[in-house]
Amino acid sequence: MGRYNTVMRRFLFSIALITLHSVLFTFAGQAQTDSTIVESRQADDRNVMLDASASAKPRDIPIGLPGETGGTMIMEDGMPVASTWSPVYPYVHWAGGSSYADVGLMGIEETALRTGVLGFSVGSHTVLGTDSLHGTLSAKTNNDGLILLDGNLNGALARGWYFTVGAYANLDPTSVHPKHVTFVNNTQIYKAGLTYRWGRSEASLLYKLTVNRDGLFGCDRAPFIYNGDGSIGQLNGFRLGRDSYMPTDVAFTYMDLENGQLVSTNINDENRRFIHDLTFMMTNRLNDAWSVESRLHLTGTKDMAMIGFSETGIDQISAGRDAQGRRVTTADGCDYTGLMQQRLLFAQHFDFFETLAQSELVRRKHGRQTNLGIGYWFSYQYARAATVTMAQCVENDPRRLMVDGQRQWDYNSSANYGRGREHFLSFYAMEDWQVAPKLNLYYGLRAELFHSDYDLAVNYMDGQTNNSRHSGFYTADGTVSISNHRRTKMNITGVARANYRLAGPLFLSGEYIYLNQQRRFDQFRFETMPSDRPYVKQLLRFGVSYEKAWLRASAMLSYINSRNIGSTQYFTKQINGVSETQGKNTTYDIGTLGITADATATWDGLAMHVLATYQEPRYRNFCVPLTFSDGSTVVLDYNSNYVTGMSRVLLELDPSYRLGDWRLWFSARYYSRQYASLVGNVYFDGHWETFAGLDWTATQRLSLGLSVTNLFCQSGANGSIAAANTITDNSLLQGYCTAGTFIRPFTVSLSATYKF
């Protein structure tokens, strides 16, 4: 009964926001009419849907800080696809396509005020239907065997009533073609909606079902030799981006985190996500100046399962024995000699439910747009992530290895567990104001009351030390205790920007963004209680810009910092010749000073965009104490080291040329040296990510496209090498065998779209 009352209170609160919609309707109806419209602030597209690591998700846009773990924030019909990256990665149940009227890039300022996230976001709006029947059918394939089908049909049902239905299927074997599964990425999205329009207002009810079996984690890894000078070499003849590093035998056993029972399963069955989304949205356009917009978005999934991997070290095995004397054999019992890769496997299960509700009053008048809103978000997660360690050969389509007769061991030694409930009550305001012909101001504030209620199995809460993870850990073993952790805090976001016309097309600009955000539930699922200090992020930038009809150019100096960053880092050390890996919650700061030049020019069908950035991203206040199984201790000091995975020099080139029904385009991004370890002595040489294409509008309804990924056929690794986080002797890194992510190889794609 108590749970029923809680659910009803949340539902009624969401309904209250819709009721507020009517109150705002009455208030706004008293305003005078004005026909001046101020356009919403949008960023240039920047080819956000061209990602070098995957074929169907948005790319990360660098801002001077590491990207969000779950990728770029995605907005759908004015609301986040998910308010948190874990466990429902936004790109898992959103893919763009023909069911959306537009997909673009939302600016940093509006993203911060609407979501509390510092960075660019993808904005998308569903096709809702018009008086005429419209349809779109798209198909895409590539030389790796991709099958991508996408379609939408929308139109009128009756007077004032409209419909939209769409389906999307992405069946992608990827370039590595693992033997354990035909399609590494198997995503199906079905969408349907009804819209009713009356006068200048409309209301829509939309439903979306996502069936996702994305098995990319693990398939996106490859072994290689790090030569010690930024370059890499092939290891055992393994071809990066072409050979598969997933074992052919994907059966495994994990220990249930609650009852301790062993569960036999396989990797394919443990990649399943059935996600339901229901959205209600209503817009009242009261007159030329006033409108009220309300949204209610529900997302839910039960027992969602997904697999994760972390490579824990490559060891040399001689005559069937490792350095500790353990016997290593193949599946048939024969002694093994060669390289052995140990992998930490995460068998993750989640229950997830979100309610996102907001109502917003919008006023456009006399070159001034004002947005006032109130929102309530609720997020529930029940997370169980069991872990096991397994071993395999270092080869294409590797064989599984047995260690002392075991296929896997160390059950739940790195497990995470918890149940979390989070509430957000927000008030926000933003205004874009053309104060004078030479002065434009944009400013806003978001104040969010945040309440969290977590049930956790962590140490150092009320003096506990009994929840340390170990082999055989489960919550009902008689020693583990589940404790409740509650807190009520404030999240604050502030934005201020000014543009002043100095003379003619020359402008002076300045901007400041401040975010104070509390840690979310994903930081509290491990054995150690994380810091309770909030994330504090600040962005300050100023510069000049030049704007003409054919040329827009700017030069900006910026400083961005983030304090109290919390993340789980993995540290590997050789103990008696065997790799031992620890996962540890860490807290640190990052500061980045940079300068960016950006220019876009158009002339008679030719368009060119150039962006160049030089930045200095460095760690601050970053020290990590570690104790290993042999009793050895070390304090690792990463202060002033360059941030891993971030380049100091960034370059984007986007030329295109249109001639009649033909469009030729090219997109290139250069990333200079990227450090791959926290120590700063492992790095990857700079690399290019390149795309090119030719589009042909064959008829008014049919368009065809040819595109190429990795035009320069670069082959290399990127990401990080966690195993090097504890190595300070550079001589040990010459000829170092490790595994990491790789650059997507040369790919040719063909596409066709038919509209009616």
Side-chain angles (χ1 to χ4, degrees):
M1 187 67 179
R3 182 178 179 182
Y4 171 80
N5 290 336
T6 301
V7 172
M8 284 301 297
R9 284 197 299 269
R10 294 171 187 149
F11 178 75
L12 291 174
F13 190 91
S14 301
I15 294 299
L17 284 177
I18 306 302
T19 305
L20 175 66
H21 182 101
S22 301
V23 176
L24 295 175
F25 184 103
T26 303
F27 166 75
Q30 301 172 2
Q32 296 181 355
T33 299
D34 190 283
S35 60
T36 302
I37 303 295
V38 179
E39 298 296 330
S40 63
R41 301 177 66 84
Q42 296 290 327
D44 291 334
D45 179 76
R46 292 192 54 185
N47 289 321
V48 68
M49 295 305 295
L50 291 180
D51 183 42
S53 63
S55 62
K57 72 173 186 178
R59 74 179 182 100
D60 289 331
I61 307 282
I63 63 167
L65 293 175
E68 296 291 327
T69 305
T72 301
M73 171 70 74
I74 301 174
M75 304 288 288
E76 184 175 20
D77 296 315
M79 301 287 279
V81 170
S83 72
T84 177
W85 68 268
S86 174
V88 182
Y89 290 83
Y91 62 83
V92 165
H93 65 128
W94 181 95
S98 60
S99 289
Y100 296 91
D102 60 81
V103 176
L105 198 61
M106 184 180 292
I108 292 178
E109 306 93 345
E110 189 171 359
T111 299
L113 291 171
R114 292 195 176 278
T115 69
V117 172
L118 185 58
F120 292 96
S121 64
V122 174
S124 61
H125 297 88
T126 302
V127 174
L128 297 179
T130 62
D131 291 328
S132 302
L133 184 66
H134 296 279
T136 302
L137 296 173
S138 298
K140 184 177 181 180
T141 188
N142 64 25
N143 58 292
D144 292 316
L146 168 72
I147 301 174
L148 195 156
L149 302 173
D150 180 27
N152 177 268
L153 183 68
N154 63 86
L157 288 173
R159 183 179 177 85
W161 289 92
Y162 303 86
F163 77 95
T164 182
V165 292
Y168 171 94
N170 181 20
L171 308 177
D172 189 358
T174 73
S175 62
V176 301
H177 298 276
K179 289 186 176 180
H180 74 283
V181 66
T182 303
F183 298 111
V184 175
N185 185 352
N186 185 337
T187 301
Q188 302 167 53
I189 300 176
Y190 305 95
K191 192 164 187 175
L194 285 175
T195 298
Y196 179 66
R197 297 189 178 102
W198 70 100
R200 306 174 69 170
S201 304
E202 68 178 29
S204 299
L205 183 65
L206 305 171
Y207 172 75
K208 182 174 69 174
L209 169 65
T210 302
V211 181
N212 181 281
R213 294 184 178 274
D214 187 350
L216 185 62
F217 293 113
C219 292
D220 61 346
R221 300 295 197 272
F224 54 88
I225 299 173
Y226 179 71
N227 295 322
D229 59 357
S231 65
I232 64 172
Q234 281 193 348
L235 180 57
N236 286 357
F238 195 98
R239 300 174 302 163
L240 274 68
R242 293 301 179 190
D243 291 340
S244 171
Y245 205 41
M246 284 294 289
T248 54
D249 177 4
V250 294
F252 72 97
T253 300
Y254 69 91
M255 179 178 288
D256 188 285
L257 260 174
E258 294 185 304
N259 57 34
Q261 295 182 356
L262 295 180
V263 180
S264 295
T265 183
N266 63 77
I267 288 174
N268 294 338
D269 290 344
E270 291 300 309
N271 269 319
R272 64 179 187 275
R273 305 170 184 86
F274 298 88
I275 306 169
H276 303 270
D277 291 85
L278 185 66
T279 300
F280 174 75
M281 54 186 184
M282 181 165 58
T283 300
N284 296 115
R285 299 175 183 86
L286 308 176
N287 49 47
D288 290 340
W290 293 89
S291 64
V292 185
E293 302 174 359
S294 293
R295 304 284 188 270
L296 176 63
H297 178 72
L298 309 177
T299 299
T301 181
K302 178 74 173 177
D303 196 28
M304 182 180 76
M306 59 184 181
I307 292 293
F309 282 97
S310 176
E311 284 70 36
T312 61
I314 295 178
D315 302 312
Q316 179 67 51
I317 308 300
S318 299
R321 298 287 174 177
D322 68 9
Q324 278 187 324
R326 298 182 302 177
R327 189 182 180 198
V328 180
T329 64
T330 55
D332 57 6
C334 296
D335 287 345
Y336 175 73
T337 296
L339 295 176
M340 179 180 74
Q341 171 76 73
Q342 295 190 70
R343 303 180 91 170
L344 182 65
L345 182 150
F346 296 81
Q348 304 169 94
H349 295 84
F350 297 93
D351 297 340
F352 177 78
F353 177 77
E354 270 198 344
T355 300
L356 309 179
Q358 70 181 36
S359 194
E360 183 173 311
L361 174 66
V362 183
R363 177 181 181 268
R364 301 175 177 91
K365 188 175 182 181
H366 299 316
R368 189 172 185 175
Q369 175 172 316
T370 306
N371 300 64
L372 302 173
I374 181 175
Y376 169 71
W377 295 0
F378 168 75
S379 180
Y380 168 82
Q381 289 189 44
Y382 177 33
R384 296 91 67 201
T387 62
V388 297
T389 300
M390 51 187 283
Q392 65 185 53
C393 301
V394 178
E395 61 190 12
N396 181 31
D397 296 320
R399 296 162 291 164
R400 290 278 294 275
L401 294 175
M402 310 278 283
V403 176
D404 282 344
Q406 300 181 77
R407 287 171 53 83
Q408 58 269 311
W409 59 95
D410 281 348
Y411 294 100
N412 294 337
S413 59
S414 298
N416 61 79
Y417 174 88
R419 192 188 303 266
R421 296 156 292 272
E422 296 174 324
H423 305 260
F424 304 81
L425 179 61
S426 62
F427 301 88
Y428 61 93
M430 61 188 84
E431 187 164 69
D432 191 345
W433 183 16
Q434 191 67 40
V435 180
K438 289 189 174 184
L439 179 62
N440 175 267
L441 299 178
Y442 181 85
Y443 45 88
L445 178 69
R446 180 184 183 91
E448 198 169 61
L449 182 65
F450 171 69
H451 176 75
S452 62
D453 182 359
Y454 304 150
D455 297 322
L456 306 170
V458 296
N459 284 332
Y460 314 123
M461 176 186 290
D462 299 329
Q464 297 177 38
T465 58
N466 59 308
N467 289 327
S468 296
R469 306 305 194 250
H470 55 82
S471 183
F473 173 90
Y474 66 98
T475 59
D477 69 354
T479 62
V480 175
S481 57
I482 308 298
S483 300
N484 184 259
H485 177 64
R486 298 185 183 184
R487 58 194 172 131
T488 300
K489 303 281 187 175
M490 287 293 297
N491 293 330
I492 299 293
T493 301
V495 172
R497 179 182 178 118
N499 291 299
Y500 182 75
R501 185 190 298 270
L502 294 173
L506 189 63
F507 293 82
L508 180 66
S509 301
E511 180 176 43
Y512 177 69
I513 300 177
Y514 173 87
L515 287 92
N516 182 306
Q517 295 289 315
Q518 304 300 321
R519 298 176 190 276
R520 298 293 300 270
F521 173 64
D522 60 276
Q523 292 287 307
F524 288 82
R525 303 196 306 247
F526 302 90
E527 72 171 46
T528 304
M529 189 71 175
S531 169
D532 205 26
R533 292 177 295 175
Y535 300 115
V536 178
K537 300 181 180 181
Q538 299 180 83
L539 169 63
L540 176 64
R541 58 182 179 179
F542 65 92
V544 295
S545 60
Y546 181 89
E547 296 186 10
K548 281 285 193 178
W550 65 276
L551 175 65
R552 290 186 295 122
S554 65
M556 303 290 289
L557 181 66
S558 65
Y559 179 75
I560 186 170
N561 73 348
S562 181
R563 302 201 306 272
N564 305 327
I565 299 173
S567 66
T568 302
Q569 303 280 354
Y570 291 92
F571 303 89
T572 299
K573 185 178 180 181
Q574 292 283 323
I575 304 296
N576 297 322
V578 177
S579 298
E580 178 181 318
T581 297
Q582 292 187 16
K584 191 174 183 65
N585 278 338
T586 57
T587 303
Y588 52 90
D589 303 340
I590 288 177
T592 303
L593 180 66
I595 184 169
T596 297
D598 191 358
T600 301
T602 57
W603 180 75
D604 195 25
L606 179 65
M608 182 66 183
H609 171 247
V610 179
L611 183 145
T613 297
Y614 178 81
Q615 60 184 13
E616 288 278 330
R618 293 182 182 271
Y619 289 117
R620 310 291 186 207
N621 302 318
F622 196 179
C623 291
V624 182
L626 296 172
T627 301
F628 290 92
S629 60
D630 63 349
S632 62
T633 61
V634 62
V635 177
L636 302 173
D637 186 351
Y638 301 128
N639 283 312
S640 298
N641 290 354
Y642 285 109
V643 177
T644 59
M646 293 185 63
S647 298
R648 298 167 67 187
V649 177
L650 305 169
L651 180 64
E652 296 184 14
L653 303 173
D654 300 292
S656 66
Y657 182 70
R658 182 180 295 278
L659 180 63
D661 296 327
W662 296 85
R663 179 176 178 266
L664 179 66
W665 59 270
F666 175 75
S667 181
R669 307 170 200 137
Y670 174 73
Y671 299 87
S672 68
R673 172 187 297 183
Q674 293 182 346
Y675 288 91
S677 76
L678 299 174
V679 177
N681 54 359
V682 179
Y683 58 89
F684 295 121
D685 289 336
H687 69 277
W688 287 90
E689 295 177 357
T690 52
F691 309 83
L694 180 63
D695 301 329
W696 177 37
T697 306
T699 68
Q700 187 176 0
R701 296 183 175 181
L702 177 64
S703 59
L704 304 174
L706 168 70
S707 63
V708 178
T709 301
N710 197 348
L711 187 64
F712 297 160
C713 298
Q714 285 205 323
S715 176
N718 55 22
S720 62
I721 303 176
N725 286 337
T726 58
I727 298 176
T728 56
D729 184 354
N730 288 355
S731 65
L732 298 177
L733 299 172
Q734 297 177 7
Y736 185 79
C737 299
T738 187
T741 57
F742 52 84
I743 300 171
R744 190 174 161 202
F746 178 81
T747 306
V748 179
S749 302
L750 296 173
S751 63
T753 300
Y754 183 78
K755 296 183 178 181
F756 58 90

